[in-house]
Amino acid sequence: MLEGKAMVEDSDMPVKMQVQAMALASQALDLFDVVDCKSIAGHIKKEFDESYGSGWQCVVGSNFGCFFTHSKGTFIYFQLETLKFLVFKGASTP
């Protein structure tokens, strides 16, 4: 496990959820090859859906761009090893 080596770049998520996101990323890196970003992201998304309800999104990679709207208090962007992790819950439209 790699806890403590993640660097949060931006977040509005409660600290408990941030810790869980980074722990799940570390766990996923133990379970999957570092180049299997799709499986790593799927693992994190599945766990967040189970813990906090459906609608979570996860992007994992070393070079990506994105533009999205998220629900308040559900966003984290961090780096672990050579990968960047973006986890958020999509905002519902009125």
Side-chain angles (χ1 to χ4, degrees), residues 1-45:
M1 298 290 281
L2 302 165
E3 284 93 7
K5 297 184 181 180
M7 183 175 73
V8 176
E9 297 195 17
D10 197 8
S11 181
D12 72 352
M13 197 179 264
V15 173
K16 180 181 175 186
M17 289 173 76
Q18 290 182 38
V19 170
Q20 183 177 9
M22 292 181 282
L24 287 169
S26 177
Q27 181 184 64
L29 288 173
D30 287 342
L31 293 171
F32 304 102
D33 192 285
V34 71
V35 298
D36 190 2
C37 294
K38 185 175 178 180
S39 294
I40 294 167
H43 177 76
I44 297 166
K45 180 205 176 350

Side-chain angles (χ1 to χ4, degrees), residues 37-38 40-42 44-45 56-68 76-78 83-88:
C37 294
K38 185 175 178 180
I40 294 167
I44 297 166
K45 180 205 176 350
W56 287 89
Q57 307 298 318
C58 183
V59 181
V60 178
S62 57
N63 185 18
F64 59 86
C66 60
F67 188 84
F68 62 92
I76 186 168
Y77 179 57
F78 64 96
L83 294 176
K84 304 272 186 159
F85 295 80
L86 173 63
V87 181
F88 65 95

